[in-house]
């Protein structure tokens, strides 16, 4: 439905803009709070706890943080909440438009778990809001007083959700639901804790009453949680472009590893903001990312066939050669262009055409068209990678391409490189 694609485009665009504003504000205020310095005595006498000077856009700025509050509440007080709310609302709308309206195409993978769209949507909503309920309960329980135990519990929650989602949904749908849970927790922190506590503080200052230190401490803790969630969430937002992650056999471990490394790298910058520079954190985070990349790419790296496109193709080729003498003989036989053209026509052209006939894709995904043999040769590297390496094409294998057919394409491409 073209109109649904246009709605998806505009909602996704708005979601990105709102997310930039929210994450930017989050990063700025964490940086600001960590860079406040003890002010001169005359400022302390006015109740100022810390201040900061900055220059930007051709002007000087002075930011001051009060220990209690100003003597008189200002007429205009800026609240930072709609960045969070609009990001979550647009993100949830996008989840409905893409993954719930298109559940059979994007959320359900029969090779992972065959279920009805209603069941898949129910499980997805259960993961998101059930996870939020568990997180909120933990934050309001005595466990919140023990940061280490709380952190371990939070990591365990994310790991469990990551595993369950990959056992229920397509790899792409699984990743996006973990991201939806994280985003819901972040927005929930603003809605359920940060904003209510800030309202209490404003009311107390306006009425000249004491401020409960627990209000500010609790709100700041939630802000710190959101700060460490940002980089993992940003990865998930772009992960659908990289099937080598969500299509990996251990995709839930890949997701957890990348999120952990991203949060660790964020820790380096948070420490740096308070004057503590530990290059070892940044170096170890980079090494972790490299190790993850090598691990995910290991089948390609262990192949012996010297291919330019991907050494993983030769891994498929080698496994096929070793399977049996009959298969080895077939592997040695040249694969004709006509045979490959037939496979492309059967499994790919319904979507990847200038005039698609697929019931979902009415425009060729990513502009890849395979109507003619010239088109096939032009896009051959992409075709081989997506059908024989990541194996995420055909989309959710809706045309039932067999492993033998994938190996035919791999051998055909291998013989072209020799």
């Amino acid at each position: 439905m073209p109109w649904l694609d246009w709605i998806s485009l505009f909602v996704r665009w708005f979601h990105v803009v709102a997310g930039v504003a929210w994450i930017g504000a989050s990063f700025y205020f964490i940086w600001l709070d960590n860079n406040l310095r003890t002010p001169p005595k005359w400022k302390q006498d006015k109740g100022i706890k810390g201040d900061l000077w900055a220059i930007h856009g051709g002007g000087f700025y002075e930011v001051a943080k009060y220990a209690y509050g100003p003597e008189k509440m200002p007429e205009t007080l800026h609240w930072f909440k709609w960045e969070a709310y609009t990001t979550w609302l647009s993100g949830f709308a996008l989840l409905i438009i893409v993954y719930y309206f298109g559940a059979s195409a994007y959320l359900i993978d029969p090779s992972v778990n065959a279920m009805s769209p209603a069941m898949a949507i129910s499980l997805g909503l259960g993961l998101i809001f059930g996870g939020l309920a568990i997180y909120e309960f933990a934050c309001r329980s005595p466990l919140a007083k023990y940061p280490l135990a709380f952190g371990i519990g939070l990591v365990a929650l994310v790991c469990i959700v990551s595993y369950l989602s990959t056992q229920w949904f397509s790899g792409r749908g699984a990743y996006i639901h973990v991201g939806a849970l994280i985003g819901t927790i972040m927005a929930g922190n603003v809605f359920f804790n940060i904003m209510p506590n800030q309202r209490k503080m404003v009311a107390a200052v306006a009425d000249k009453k004491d401020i409960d230190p627990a209000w500010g401490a609790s709100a700041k803790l939630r802000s710190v949680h959101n700060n460490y969630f940002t980089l993992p969430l940003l990865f998930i937002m772009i992960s659908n472009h990289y099937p080598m992650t969500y299509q990996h056999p251990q995709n839930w471990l890949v997701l957890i590893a990348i999120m952990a490394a991203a949060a660790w790298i964020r820790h380096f910058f948070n420490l740096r903001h308070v004057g503590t520079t530990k290059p070892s954190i940044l170096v170890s985070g980079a090494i972790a990312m490299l190790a993850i990349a090598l691990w995910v790419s290991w089948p390609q790296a262990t192949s012996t066939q010297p291919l330019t496109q991907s050494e993983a193709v030769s891994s498929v080729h080698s496994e096929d050669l070793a399977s049996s003498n009959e298969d080895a003989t077939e592997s040695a036989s040249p694969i004709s262009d006509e045979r490959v053209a037939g496979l492309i026509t059967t499994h790919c052209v319904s979507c990847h055409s200038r005039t698609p006939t697929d019931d979902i894709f009415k425009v060729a995904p990513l502009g890849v068209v395979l109507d003619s043999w010239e088109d096939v040769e032009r896009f051959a590297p992409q075709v081989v990678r997506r059908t024989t390496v990541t194996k995420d094409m055909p989309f959710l294998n809706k045309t039932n391409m067999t492993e033998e057919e994938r190996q035919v394409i791999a051998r055909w491409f291998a013989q072209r490189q020799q």
Side-chain angles (χ1 to χ4, degrees):
M1 294 176 286
W3 62 269
L4 194 60
D5 290 337
W6 280 105
I7 293 175
S8 174
L9 168 62
F10 290 130
V11 173
R12 188 183 302 273
W13 192 358
F14 181 81
H15 180 58
V16 170
V17 173
V20 168
W22 184 16
I23 292 174
S26 173
F27 280 7
Y28 173 71
F29 278 102
I30 290 291
W31 172 87
L32 177 64
D33 205 49
N34 288 335
N35 281 277
L36 292 172
R37 298 294 180 263
T38 302
K41 180 71 166 55
W42 66 271
K43 287 187 177 181
Q44 295 182 42
D45 293 340
K46 294 177 63 176
I48 296 176
K49 179 182 180 180
D51 69 352
L52 175 144
W53 284 86
I55 184 170
H56 181 76
F60 290 92
Y61 296 81
E62 180 185 13
V63 181
K65 180 178 181 179
Y66 284 81
Y68 171 73
E71 295 181 3
K72 180 181 178 181
M73 290 300 298
E75 293 183 4
T76 302
L77 184 63
H78 296 284
W79 297 72
F80 291 81
K81 56 181 179 179
W82 285 109
E83 296 88 345
Y85 297 162
T86 54
T87 300
W88 186 85
L89 288 171
S90 58
F92 197 75
L94 199 60
L95 178 70
I96 294 173
I97 293 169
V98 176
Y99 290 91
Y100 290 170
F101 281 170
S104 59
Y106 290 101
L107 186 57
I108 301 170
D109 184 348
S111 67
V112 175
N113 197 328
M115 64 179 78
S116 67
M119 175 60 74
I121 294 170
S122 298
L123 289 174
L125 293 174
L127 278 180
I128 295 170
F129 294 105
L132 173 65
I134 293 172
Y135 172 81
E136 275 297 320
F137 176 80
C139 286
R140 298 167 189 265
S141 73
L143 183 65
K145 298 178 181 179
Y146 305 94
L148 179 59
F150 186 91
I152 294 173
L154 183 57
V155 170
L157 172 64
V158 174
C159 290
I160 292 171
V161 170
S162 298
Y163 177 77
L164 288 177
S165 61
T166 56
Q167 303 306 301
W168 292 343
F169 310 130
S170 68
R172 180 174 169 178
Y175 274 35
I176 211 67
H177 272 81
V178 176
L181 170 60
I182 293 175
T184 300
I185 287 175
M186 293 173 67
N189 281 336
V190 176
F191 184 80
F192 294 120
N193 185 275
I194 296 173
M195 292 305 302
N197 284 336
Q198 288 182 171
R199 292 190 187 96
K200 293 176 184 177
M201 293 172 65
V202 170
V205 171
D207 296 338
K208 303 298 181 182
K209 296 181 179 179
D210 291 337
I211 292 178
D212 186 344
W215 299 340
S218 177
K220 184 176 180 179
L221 178 63
R222 300 290 189 108
S223 293
V224 171
H225 289 178
N226 284 2
N227 180 264
Y228 280 99
F229 274 139
T230 49
L231 294 187
L233 184 58
L234 285 173
F235 161 72
I236 293 174
M237 289 175 66
I238 65 172
S239 66
N240 64 326
H241 297 288
Y242 301 96
M244 73 274 197
T245 58
Y246 64 76
Q247 287 295 117
H248 192 273
Q250 287 80 44
N251 49 6
W252 68 282
L253 283 177
V254 174
L255 176 59
I256 292 170
I258 292 178
M259 289 194 297
W264 181 239
I265 290 172
R266 183 63 205 164
H267 185 57
F268 166 82
F269 292 99
N270 287 339
L271 289 179
R272 189 169 180 271
H273 292 332
V274 295
T276 301
T277 302
K278 290 188 175 182
S280 59
I281 295 178
L282 200 59
V283 171
S284 60
I287 292 174
M289 286 294 188
L290 178 60
I292 294 169
L294 292 175
W295 165 44
V296 172
S297 304
W298 185 249
Q300 293 99 307
T302 57
S303 171
T304 59
Q305 179 67 31
L307 295 182
T308 302
Q309 158 60 20
S310 173
E311 292 179 352
V313 172
S314 63
S315 176
V316 175
H317 180 46
S318 299
E319 290 174 5
D320 184 62
L321 286 171
S323 62
S324 68
N325 290 333
E326 181 180 349
D327 289 340
T329 301
E330 182 183 353
S331 298
S333 302
I335 304 296
S336 68
D337 293 346
E338 290 74 15
R339 185 176 181 186
V340 173
L343 293 176
I344 297 298
T345 299
T346 300
H347 296 291
C348 308
V349 173
S350 60
C351 297
H352 292 282
S353 171
R354 291 172 178 82
T355 55
T357 58
D358 186 75
D359 56 343
I360 295 175
F361 297 101
K362 300 307 179 183
V363 178
L366 301 178
V368 176
V369 294
L370 303 170
D371 294 311
S372 67
W373 184 248
E374 290 75 16
D375 293 329
V376 174
E377 290 186 316
R378 180 160 60 100
F379 289 109
Q382 292 95 317
V383 170
V384 174
R385 171 167 288 279
R386 301 297 290 274
T387 59
T388 69
V389 181
T390 62
K391 298 183 180 180
D392 62 313
M393 288 291 155
F395 188 71
L396 295 183
N397 202 20
K398 62 189 303 182
T399 59
N400 297 314
M401 178 179 277
T402 66
E403 184 61 30
E404 290 73 22
E405 289 172 328
R406 296 180 191 276
Q407 292 170 4
V408 166
I409 295 176
R411 293 198 301 272
W412 167 77
F413 190 77
Q415 73 186 24
R416 286 168 60 92
Q417 305 302 300
Q418 295 175 348

